[in-house]
Amino acid sequence: MNTTEWAVAQHRQAELDALTAQVADHEAKKQRDLSAACDDCALDRDQVPEPETGLTHRPTPRYRPASRRRSRGR
């Protein structure tokens, strides 16, 4: 490898390093944004009032007539 090829290789490596740093910064920003969105969602969830205790019991069932059994002829 001559001096010119070495210089080109070094330049390309510097460009690759710069692009890798940009991608890492972009990924870190996305992670921070996602984390902030999760925190906002959790905060919103924590502010929802608890249901009233009177609403937690089961409603009374509707009237259902007893099933009619068919008589078996013997």
Side-chain angles (χ1 to χ4, degrees):
M1 183 180 282
N2 65 30
T3 307
T4 305
E5 292 172 338
W6 179 256
V8 169
Q10 290 297 315
H11 179 71
R12 287 184 179 159
Q13 184 62 47
E15 287 177 337
L16 179 61
D17 292 344
L19 288 173
T20 302
Q22 286 178 2
V23 169
D25 288 345
H26 181 71
E27 290 295 320
K29 181 184 181 307
K30 285 176 29 180
Q31 184 65 35
R32 286 189 305 270
D33 291 348
L34 180 61
S35 180
C38 288
D39 290 345
D40 291 345
C41 183
L43 181 63
D44 291 345
R45 185 191 67 229
D46 291 342
Q47 293 177 353
V48 173
E50 291 293 322
E52 295 180 22
T53 57
L55 299 177
T56 59
H57 72 281
R58 300 174 109 188
T60 54
R62 294 184 188 172
Y63 171 76
R64 292 184 184 160
S67 64
R68 297 181 185 175
R69 294 184 181 175
R70 293 185 178 186
S71 60
R72 296 182 182 177
R74 290 190 180 206

